[in-house]
Amino acid sequence: MQFIFHYPETGGADGDVLDAGPLGAVAAAAEQAGFGGFSLSEHPAPGARWLGAGGHQTLDPFVSLGYAAALTERIRLITYLSVAPYRNPMLLAKAAATLDKLSGGRAVLGIGTGYLKGEFHAVGVDFDERNTLFDEALDVLPLHWKGEPFSYAGKHFSARDVQARPTPVQQPIPIWIGGNSALSRRRVARAAHGWIPMSGGAELSSTARTPELGGIAELSRKIAGIRESAASSGRAEHIDLVYSYSDPGLTGPGADPSLHREAFGELARAGVDWIVVSTRAGVHETLDPGVTFDFLAEFGAIYIDG
């Protein structure tokens, strides 16, 4: 099992998106601490009401991960998550392929259908078309990355005998799909390389328009079902399970590492391959670079090297 450090997100509109520390330095520190992945999310035009009620600021994930790539050597660079329907799938494929090419094959494309209606309107995408657009992206991404001529007729585009070069280093770039629904799980089994369930409880599930995940036993049952479905359709590759773990007592005074090691072990037995951790400030709270760098060093020493 490996760990991903998600760049800490500034809650609300008052702070600065980089309050947690210089992005490149944080990515490099995560790599030094032994993390296997570094991730960022995206919200290009969130509503002010959402931002003020617990939402968070974001950078553009592809630009930011490209910057982090130049300052790291090993760590995987992960969109967690990019909203696939926001982009023409050719542009999404090109952004991911560029990141993978420039990083030497370290990109992971985490994608979701999205859930903020106002943001869909702001970027000019019909919210009710999001599932159709998502499935188009799943079709187009591997075709684009192969670098061979192909044609594809989408809902809002018609590509005739196009050929995308250069190709990414990875063939294909791993695709991880977020969401708890049966539809999301079917998509993973059909065409993805990882599943990112949402583990934040009832309130977050309601906001993100996805069913609640359930407990560890249910998680294990669902990933087993995904893997069995993929195998029955002739897919031989392993499908990763990516799980977000949140607890303020992971490091620092009063931390009980044995408790968290036990939890990580339980998740590993359930089939989890990657655990995502982070620090975050709520609305009107302040992130601090010292807290970020201390967390990375302590977490690495306790849970990765320890």
Side-chain angles (χ1 to χ4, degrees):
M1 190 167 61
Q2 297 192 69
F3 293 95
I4 297 165
F5 185 68
H6 188 77
Y7 184 81
E9 294 167 339
T10 299
D14 294 339
D16 185 87
V17 72
L18 295 178
D19 279 344
L23 184 94
V26 172
E31 181 172 84
Q32 179 66 30
F35 282 83
F38 180 72
S39 65
L40 293 102
S41 62
E42 78 166 345
H43 281 293
R49 180 178 178 182
W50 175 83
L51 194 59
H56 58 88
Q57 302 180 29
T58 65
L59 298 161
D60 179 277
F62 293 101
V63 174
S64 303
L65 291 171
Y67 175 72
L71 299 171
T72 56
E73 297 179 353
R74 172 194 54 80
I75 201 165
R76 302 286 282 180
L77 305 161
I78 305 162
T79 58
Y80 184 90
L81 294 166
S82 173
V83 182
Y86 287 171
R87 296 176 176 84
N88 174 291
M90 305 292 173
L91 297 178
L92 177 62
K94 176 58 71 174
T98 300
L99 175 61
D100 195 64
K101 185 74 171 178
L102 296 180
S103 68
R106 293 189 281 140
V108 177
L109 182 63
I111 52 176
T113 54
Y115 59 88
L116 290 179
K117 273 190 175 182
E119 192 164 64
F120 273 83
H121 294 315
V123 299
V125 177
D126 188 336
F127 182 79
D128 294 331
E129 293 180 351
R130 67 193 186 283
N131 282 306
T132 298
L133 298 176
F134 189 93
D135 287 333
E136 286 182 0
L138 281 183
D139 290 340
V140 168
L141 289 166
L143 295 173
H144 188 286
W145 294 335
K146 286 178 181 177
E148 301 299 329
F150 73 97
S151 299
Y152 190 93
K155 190 170 184 66
H156 299 295
F157 70 95
S158 181
R160 299 180 181 180
D161 199 33
V162 300
Q163 185 174 12
R165 293 292 182 97
T167 59
V169 175
Q170 301 177 96
Q171 284 294 339
I173 297 168
I175 297 171
W176 292 352
I177 293 177
N180 296 351
S181 69
L183 175 57
S184 294
R185 299 197 302 275
R186 288 195 297 270
R187 285 167 169 156
V188 174
R190 175 177 69 85
H193 310 89
W195 177 39
I196 309 175
M198 183 168 287
S199 56
E203 183 176 354
L204 184 57
S205 293
S206 176
T207 300
R209 304 173 190 269
T210 194
E212 283 191 69
L213 180 60
I216 298 299
E218 182 70 5
L219 175 69
S220 181
R221 185 188 68 79
K222 287 175 178 175
I223 187 58
I226 289 172
R227 289 168 177 162
E228 289 168 7
S229 178
S232 67
S233 64
R235 297 187 61 199
E237 62 267 46
H238 177 75
I239 293 176
D240 286 326
L241 175 55
V242 186
Y243 187 87
S244 179
Y245 186 92
S246 178
D247 191 298
L250 276 168
T251 64
D256 184 354
S258 63
L259 178 68
H260 300 297
R261 288 195 186 100
E262 181 178 343
F264 295 157
E266 184 180 10
L267 289 168
R269 291 188 291 273
V272 172
D273 301 281
W274 296 82
I275 288 181
V276 184
V277 296
S278 189
T279 60
R280 183 183 171 185
V283 177
H284 307 307
E285 295 179 342
T286 302
L287 291 164
D288 180 84
V291 171
T292 303
F293 292 114
D294 286 346
F295 175 88
L296 289 169
E298 291 177 29
F299 188 96
I302 296 170
Y303 303 107
I304 300 176
D305 296 333

